[in-house]
Amino acid sequence: METKLIEIMNKNEGVLTTKDATAAGIPRIYITKLVRKGIIERVRAGVYLNSEAFGDEFYLFQLRYPKAIFSHNTALYFYNMTERTPSHIEITVLRGYNAHRFPDNYLVYYITKKKFDLGITSMQSTQGRTVKCTDLERTLCDIIRNNKSLDLETRNKSIKEILRSGKLDEKKLSSYAKILRCSKQLNMIREIL
């Protein structure tokens, strides 16, 4: 039974849930045995991670807090569109979400449901694990809207790099800018460049 649990975990990028074990007809006691042996560690209720997988801070954070989306400068970091490693990990959550358990080095942005679902995509973390973050168009809009997330020089370089990258979907960017109310700022930046 423990071997079967390890197989399930390996298929799921090192993650094992009690739901997966139950679906496979394996009693939960075998999960407890794997925890006691140090093969897996509990991340949160019903979610376990291969002990060897610890080390990817981004992936581990998202396992613990699946409703948090990496955004702003952290998303830029995933896209290799910034010269600096973020000093704070920036995430976006729904307005009203209780983020008091987040580590101190996390900068939290709250947003309405209508805007929250805009531009969520999957990316590879620095360790190659799949995490959720904002797409490039949404990231650009977030950076334009919130000029406090980066110092001015880094912000301007990042905006230039994104706009000149050729990776933007212009229709999507225009739509996002309207919804996020930063169309005027985006147009002004484009005129300057």
Side-chain angles (χ1 to χ4, degrees), residues 5-66:
L5 286 175
I6 292 170
E7 286 174 17
I8 293 169
M9 183 176 51
N10 290 337
K11 287 179 185 175
N12 294 328
E13 295 187 341
V15 178
L16 176 67
T17 64
T18 52
K19 185 178 179 181
D20 293 335
T22 304
I26 301 170
R28 294 181 183 190
I29 188 67
Y30 291 100
I31 294 174
T32 305
K33 288 180 180 183
L34 289 176
V35 170
R36 288 182 183 149
K37 289 179 181 179
I39 296 170
I40 63 173
E41 294 186 37
R42 183 178 183 267
V43 177
R44 64 180 169 89
V47 179
Y48 300 85
L49 188 63
N50 181 334
S51 296
E52 296 169 10
F54 277 84
D56 187 338
E57 180 182 359
F58 300 108
Y59 182 68
L60 189 57
F61 177 82
Q62 210 148 63
L63 280 177
R64 286 190 176 128
Y65 309 104

Side-chain angles (χ1 to χ4, degrees), residues 71-120:
S71 60
H72 296 75
N73 195 36
T74 305
L76 281 179
Y77 180 66
F78 290 147
Y79 288 109
N80 292 319
M81 295 272 183
T82 183
E83 295 174 353
R84 297 182 184 171
T85 303
S87 58
H88 287 88
I89 296 175
E90 295 172 273
I91 55 167
T92 299
V93 295
L94 281 170
R95 184 171 285 151
Y97 186 88
N98 187 352
H100 77 279
R101 291 188 185 126
F102 292 171
D104 291 339
N105 66 328
Y106 281 70
L107 188 57
V108 181
Y109 298 95
Y110 296 91
I111 198 158
T112 63
K113 174 73 172 151
K114 178 183 175 184
K115 295 175 183 176
F116 179 78
D117 292 330
L118 200 62
I120 295 174

Side-chain angles (χ1 to χ4, degrees), residues 100-178:
H100 77 279
R101 291 188 185 126
F102 292 171
D104 291 339
N105 66 328
Y106 281 70
L107 188 57
V108 181
Y109 298 95
Y110 296 91
I111 198 158
T112 63
K113 174 73 172 151
K114 178 183 175 184
K115 295 175 183 176
F116 179 78
D117 292 330
L118 200 62
I120 295 174
T121 190
S122 295
M123 284 292 293
Q124 297 299 309
S125 71
T126 52
Q127 305 269 331
R129 301 260 184 179
T130 304
V131 294
K132 292 182 288 184
C133 76
T134 54
D135 63 15
L136 199 54
E137 293 81 6
R138 167 68 187 274
T139 301
L140 176 60
C141 289
D142 285 343
I143 290 168
I144 289 171
R145 288 177 62 224
N146 186 344
N147 57 9
K148 296 176 186 173
S149 70
L150 297 168
D151 65 79
L152 189 60
E153 183 182 344
T154 304
R155 180 178 182 266
N156 290 342
K157 280 183 182 179
S158 296
I159 290 171
K160 275 184 199 177
E161 189 169 344
I162 293 169
L163 289 173
R164 293 178 179 166
S165 70
K167 297 179 180 178
L168 292 173
D169 178 328
E170 290 297 328
K171 284 185 179 180
K172 196 189 292 187
L173 178 60
S174 177
S175 172
Y176 289 3
K178 285 178 188 172

